Amino acid sequence: TMLLGIFMIEFDACLSESNSTVRELVDCLKMGESSDDLLCMCEEIDLSILVGVDQKFKSILIGLAHTFFALSAINVKLMKCVACTLIKLPWGSGKGFIMHNAYK
């Protein structure tokens, strides 16, 4: 979960505005457990990507895609929160790179 936490910190750095829900998700990933209301927070998240970080962001998404199988073995609730957050990304951001692994 530490590697996933690092990816999510970089994910947050690529957002046009730092997001408190993403930061809470990082904290939960570091602890290895989900808070009760985290999934609801992730479902209501609104994300937009900074201009000029397309390649970095897509690389982060590809890295996140490789962590899903391990995360699902550790904590399914956290995996659902991460997947829900990524689904909220705008079209054209590169979320297609990760959706296959998210639904596997």
Side-chain angles (χ1 to χ4, degrees):
T1 57
M2 289 301 293
L3 179 61
L4 187 58
I6 293 168
F7 277 127
M8 291 304 290
I9 289 169
E10 290 302 317
F11 174 90
D12 190 45
C14 291
L15 298 177
S16 58
E17 204 173 275
S18 186
N19 192 292
S20 61
T21 303
V22 174
R23 288 191 309 274
E24 173 142 354
L25 181 56
V26 169
D27 292 340
C28 288
L29 286 166
K30 288 180 180 178
M31 290 185 302
E33 52 191 53
S34 174
S35 62
D36 293 335
D37 60 339
L38 184 61
L39 185 58
C40 292
M41 291 169 56
C42 291
E43 289 173 347
E44 296 172 5
I45 199 168
D46 184 29
L47 302 172
S48 59
I49 312 303
L50 281 172
V51 175
V53 297
D54 298 341
Q55 294 301 319
K56 176 183 178 182
F57 193 72
K58 289 175 182 172
S59 299
I60 291 167
L61 291 179
I62 291 169
L64 282 169
H66 292 291
T67 65
F68 266 49
F69 181 72
L71 183 59
S72 67
I74 295 169
N75 191 317
V76 175
K77 279 184 170 180
L78 282 175
M79 188 207 59
K80 288 179 182 178
C81 292
V82 172
C84 185
T85 300
L86 297 174
I87 288 168
K88 294 294 187 167
L89 288 169
W91 284 106
S93 63
K95 69 179 175 181
F97 289 117
I98 198 166
M99 288 298 108
H100 174 71
N101 285 338
Y103 288 111
K104 235 176 176 183

